[in-house]
Amino acid sequence: MIYFEKVRFKNFGSFGNTYTEVNLEKSPMTLVSGNNGHGKSFALLDSITFALFGKPFRKINIPQLVNSINQKDCSVELTFRINENKYKIVRGLKPKIFEIYKDDNLIDQHAKAKDYQKMLEEQIIRMNYKSFTQVVILGSSSFVPFMQLTAADRREVIEDILDINIFSTMNTLLKEKIAALKEEMKENDRKRDIAVSKIEMQKSHIKTLEEKSKKSIDDFDIRITESMCEQNLLQEKSNQSVEVIDGLLKTVDDKDSVSVKIGMFERLITQVENKQTRYEKQLDAVRGKNTCGECGQKIPQEMIDNMVGDTEEKLNELNSGLTEMTTELNKLLSRNEEINEVLVNVQTLQKELNELNGKINASNQHIRNLQKMREQVSSDTDSIDEENEKLNSYMEDAETIQKERRQLVGMGDSYAVAYSLLKDSGIKSKIIKHYLPIINKLINHYLTSMDFFAQFHLDEEFNETIKSRHRDAFSYMSFSEGEKLRIDLSLLLAWREIARLKNSANCNLLILDEVFDSSLDGMGTDEFMKLLHSLGKKCNIFVISHKADHLADKFPVMMGFEKKGHFSRIVK
Ligand SMILES: Nc1ncnc2c1ncn2[C@@H]1O[C@H](COP(=O)(O)OP(=O)(O)O)[C@@H](O)[C@H]1O
Ligand SMILES: [Mg+2]
């Protein structure tokens, strides 16, 4: 509950350069009198709305509030209490001032003026301009009765009075969040698309690499196998060749002994031939001579014959030995020839074998090279492993994005639930539904108190139907000014009562600007005065009238305004 204490102002509207102060708590009922144009509305309506909301109650521009004669130093100060705290708002024009004091301390002004105002409305007075004017002010000029507000404004006022506008604020925030979430979803979609195409590309890249590598390994395997087959054939040939050579060499293993024997026989034959020559010379010498060469004596024939016989015998022996030996030597020589033929063969074969072995060595080298190259190719799968690792990290990224998406979807679900609760047909509509019968009951109660016998009904869309006895349904506009005023009064009192119940837009002030001067007839006035009295001591009611005389006896306290010279002032 807000208790407004006092408002003071200078150079404000028709008021001059010295402060005029209005004590707002002086009496539960105050009659404010003064002729038309003497400054009553400036003093009580515009001053307070200007202090609270930075704008006048009447429909003029803000600069027009500055006193037109002094043209500067326009200032309004409003003091009030909420719970134990005292507040003062200072607003000025020329120069521009906006200050809020809590318990004499200036509240931090770092914020922008707009946010400072927001803080004042949302955190301190917890009322906005619309709900304040609907609950505090009833007046003929500039006042827009609830019934003449648009559906949206009616909703705003009722939500404020029911203190449920927090749901609207939450709804606005929620809508922002939903919009942000949509953006995040879009971004997530984009990231997911990129991740998926990255994975697909990587997979096909790896497939190509694998196919390439497998093909070249297979190629090497085939070439190695072919080379090994070839090599086996060569080896077999080589083995066979070695066997043949060994076999041949075995057939000539007498080679050395044959050549030794040939040497021996040749030497023997030479010796025998030498002996033969010697014997033949002896024989020639014996046959041609019959005397001894030394002694000159004649040699007997017999003796010569014996000697010839002996020598011839020896010669014969030698001859036959020589023949045998020659036969034997010839045998050996032809054997030797055979052996040499075989050896020439062996030599040819050996040459071929060497060539074969050379080929085998070369083939070995070739196979080793192929194996090395195959190893290299298969170790090149390192790069495939690397690509696979890359693929894994892409997949992890995709999983993270998917996780993020699930979170976003979860959030979206929560938002959807919150949205269904916060929209107009959600919680608010439940609360409004709960209070509508109370509001209608209160309005009808006040209408009856003012002898206005009609059934007023406000529906969930805040459209009214008013049924008068024996008549069809009426709309607000079809009533007379006096009747409309009574409906407005009943609504205002109903809002005040609801505000009191909810402790929301609840305050001590009630200002009725020239309500009694025009439309309320004598009957209504008395009933309404009763109603005002019933509002209790916690209320400070100001009834502004330029025809105060017939009301004077009904009020304990009066406050008068007059215009002296060019400036308005209070008179007792
Ligand atoms: N900026 C201003 N400077 C001086 N006088 C002004 C200014 N604006 C309006 N007025 C005068 O103030 C008077 C209006 O005061 P108002 O509070 O509406 O009177 P009341 O409510 O007593 O009928 C008018 O006489 C009007 O000409
Ligand atoms: Mg006025």
Side-chain angles (χ1 to χ4, degrees):
M1 169 113 181
I2 306 172
Y3 290 96
F4 289 99
E5 292 177 344
K6 69 175 185 206
V7 61
R8 61 179 209 141
F9 40 84
K10 64 175 183 176
N11 294 316
F12 184 72
S14 52
F15 292 85
N17 198 28
T18 47
Y19 274 109
T20 301
E21 187 170 308
V22 178
N23 183 345
L24 300 171
E25 276 194 309
K26 193 172 178 188
S27 161
M29 299 269 263
T30 305
L31 181 63
V32 180
S33 65
N35 288 341
N36 252 330
H38 279 199
K40 304 182 292 298
S41 298
F42 269 125
L44 281 146
L45 302 179
D46 300 298
S47 62
I48 294 172
T49 60
F50 178 63
L52 289 174
F53 303 106
K55 55 185 176 188
F57 182 61
R58 72 186 72 197
K59 289 194 166 49
I60 56 167
N61 295 330
I62 294 166
Q64 288 175 280
L65 284 173
V66 184
N67 181 263
S68 60
I69 295 162
N70 294 331
Q71 288 188 24
K72 60 171 184 174
D73 271 342
C74 169
S75 167
V76 177
E77 292 178 17
L78 177 69
T79 46
F80 56 90
R81 305 189 297 282
I82 299 172
N83 299 327
E84 301 303 306
N85 301 110
K86 266 179 163 287
Y87 291 90
K88 181 166 84 172
I89 302 173
V90 180
R91 292 237 196 208
L93 297 170
K94 285 191 167 184
K96 208 168 184 173
I97 302 167
F98 176 24
E99 292 168 346
I100 305 168
Y101 293 85
K102 182 181 182 184
D103 299 324
D104 293 327
N105 298 314
L106 182 64
I107 293 178
D108 182 26
Q109 259 190 323
H110 289 314
K112 278 185 253 157
K114 207 175 129 199
D115 296 333
Y116 206 47
Q117 180 63 34
K118 204 171 161 202
M119 185 267 298
L120 173 63
E121 290 179 24
E122 288 179 0
Q123 292 171 30
I124 302 178
I125 61 175
R126 303 188 56 222
M127 272 191 269
N128 58 32
Y129 181 81
K130 280 192 200 114
S131 55
F132 176 79
T133 52
Q134 286 298 318
V135 164
V136 169
I137 299 168
L138 193 63
S140 53
S141 64
S142 319
F143 174 73
V144 184
F146 182 83
M147 286 293 108
Q148 288 179 37
L149 292 178
T150 61
D153 285 345
R154 287 181 182 192
R155 171 176 288 280
E156 199 183 313
V157 168
I158 289 181
E159 284 185 3
D160 216 22
I161 289 165
L162 290 177
D163 206 14
I164 54 174
N165 48 10
I166 180 69
F167 297 119
S168 298
T169 311
M170 281 162 74
N171 199 18
T172 311
L173 290 177
L174 183 67
K175 277 180 187 163
E176 281 167 18
K177 285 198 166 174
I178 288 173
L181 183 70
K182 257 190 194 163
E183 281 308 307
E184 277 183 70
M185 276 291 213
K186 258 194 215 161
E187 174 63 14
N188 183 277
D189 276 349
R190 200 184 62 80
K191 282 202 278 189
R192 198 175 51 167
D193 287 351
I194 292 172
V196 166
S197 75
K198 244 174 153 182
I199 287 170
E200 273 168 12
M201 271 164 62
Q202 186 65 8
K203 274 184 181 166
S204 92
H205 178 54
I206 289 171
K207 206 176 157 199
T208 316
L209 282 181
E210 278 174 347
E211 276 169 4
K212 249 192 193 166
S213 148
K214 190 173 178 316
K215 194 178 171 304
S216 65
I217 288 175
D218 287 352
D219 281 353
F220 277 116
D221 283 344
I222 290 168
R223 283 168 70 190
I224 289 168
T225 313
E226 280 172 357
S227 297
M228 280 176 152
C229 281
E230 222 170 281
Q231 197 200 38
N232 283 344
L233 283 175
L234 289 174
Q235 192 61 54
E236 227 166 83
K237 265 189 192 171
S238 154
N239 291 345
Q240 280 170 358
S241 190
V242 166
E243 252 173 56
V244 169
I245 290 170
D246 281 352
L248 285 175
L249 285 176
K250 261 183 201 151
T251 63
V252 294
D253 56 357
D254 55 344
K255 172 185 165 254
D256 290 342
S257 73
V258 167
S259 73
V260 167
K261 275 183 189 164
I262 286 173
M264 198 178 75
F265 273 103
E266 279 174 345
R267 268 194 315 276
L268 276 175
I269 286 172
T270 309
Q271 281 172 4
V272 170
E273 280 172 344
N274 287 339
K275 257 188 184 170
Q276 247 179 344
T277 311
R278 236 177 25 240
Y279 281 133
E280 277 169 358
K281 270 183 185 167
Q282 272 180 7
L283 202 56
D284 283 341
V286 171
R287 271 181 188 147
K289 284 178 187 172
N290 43 20
T291 50
C292 177
E294 287 168 19
C295 63
Q297 285 182 36
K298 205 183 166 209
I299 305 161
Q301 195 62 41
E302 209 182 290
M303 208 172 145
I304 290 171
D305 286 343
N306 279 348
M307 274 171 72
V308 169
D310 279 352
T311 308
E312 276 178 348
E313 204 175 311
K314 279 177 187 166
L315 269 174
N316 283 339
E317 267 174 30
L318 283 175
N319 268 339
S320 70
L322 194 62
T323 309
E324 263 174 46
M325 274 193 286
T326 305
T327 312
E328 201 53 39
L329 179 64
N330 284 340
K331 269 188 201 166
L332 282 169
L333 283 173
S334 76
R335 170 69 190 147
N336 199 37
E337 223 157 88
E338 269 171 32
I339 286 171
N340 281 340
E341 261 171 44
V342 169
L343 284 179
V344 167
N345 243 344
V346 166
Q347 227 170 15
T348 313
L349 285 175
Q350 191 66 50
K351 209 176 150 197
E352 278 171 14
L353 179 64
N354 286 345
E355 272 169 23
L356 260 180
N357 284 341
K359 274 186 188 170
I360 288 170
N361 280 341
S363 168
N364 261 334
Q365 190 56 43
H366 181 56
I367 288 169
R368 271 201 299 278
N369 285 344
L370 285 175
Q371 277 168 338
K372 239 185 220 168
M373 275 149 81
R374 182 196 185 281
E375 248 167 54
Q376 238 164 24
V377 171
S378 66
S379 74
D380 268 358
T381 53
D382 283 0
S383 73
I384 293 179
D385 291 346
E386 252 172 51
E387 296 304 321
N388 269 322
E389 263 169 40
K390 262 193 211 168
L391 177 65
N392 282 341
S393 91
Y394 292 165
M395 282 175 150
E396 274 168 25
D397 289 350
E399 180 54 34
T400 312
I401 292 165
Q402 194 57 32
K403 234 187 222 167
E404 205 179 276
R405 186 179 186 76
R406 282 197 290 273
Q407 275 172 356
L408 291 177
V409 168
M411 225 188 267
D413 291 346
S414 318
Y415 285 174
V417 173
Y419 185 73
S420 73
L421 292 175
L422 292 177
K423 65 183 178 184
D424 286 349
S425 58
I427 302 174
K428 283 192 299 191
S429 120
K430 276 216 155 160
I431 296 173
I432 289 167
K433 252 189 213 163
H434 174 73
Y435 276 97
L436 268 180
I438 302 171
I439 292 169
N440 281 324
K441 209 171 161 186
L442 279 167
I443 294 169
N444 284 308
H445 162 73
Y446 291 126
L447 283 174
T448 314
S449 307
M450 283 182 277
D451 291 336
F452 187 90
F453 297 101
Q455 200 57 40
F456 183 95
H457 182 79
L458 209 56
D459 66 20
E460 283 166 34
E461 304 300 316
F462 311 114
N463 294 316
E464 80 281 7
T465 45
I466 308 164
K467 280 187 195 159
S468 204
R469 219 179 285 165
H470 311 303
R471 290 200 220 164
D472 290 335
F474 268 68
S475 79
Y476 174 80
M477 280 306 179
S478 53
F479 286 96
S480 74
E481 289 308 304
E483 286 168 328
K484 278 189 212 159
L485 186 63
R486 270 178 264 186
I487 294 170
D488 295 343
L489 278 172
S490 305
L491 282 164
L492 177 132
L493 294 173
W495 301 147
R496 288 184 74 86
E497 184 58 16
I498 298 288
R500 196 183 61 75
L501 288 173
K502 295 286 296 178
N503 195 21
S504 57
N506 190 14
C507 74
N508 61 328
L509 274 190
L510 173 56
I511 302 165
L512 306 171
D513 193 7
E514 304 200 347
V515 164
F516 290 88
D517 296 348
S518 51
S519 317
L520 224 56
D521 52 45
M523 177 79 155
T525 308
D526 285 342
E527 293 307 320
F528 187 60
M529 286 307 293
K530 260 196 245 165
L531 266 182
L532 295 188
H533 279 294
S534 74
L535 286 175
K537 284 214 161 63
K538 277 186 176 174
C539 208
N540 298 101
I541 303 166
F542 290 82
V543 175
I544 302 172
S545 172
H546 62 267
K547 296 180 202 163
D549 298 349
H550 69 290
L551 290 170
D553 57 331
K554 294 187 165 79
F555 288 82
V557 171
M558 290 199 35
M559 183 191 293
F561 282 86
E562 65 169 20
K563 210 169 182 182
K564 199 105 194 256
H566 296 291
F567 299 110
S568 295
R569 60 175 190 152
I570 293 185
V571 288
K572 294 282 173 258

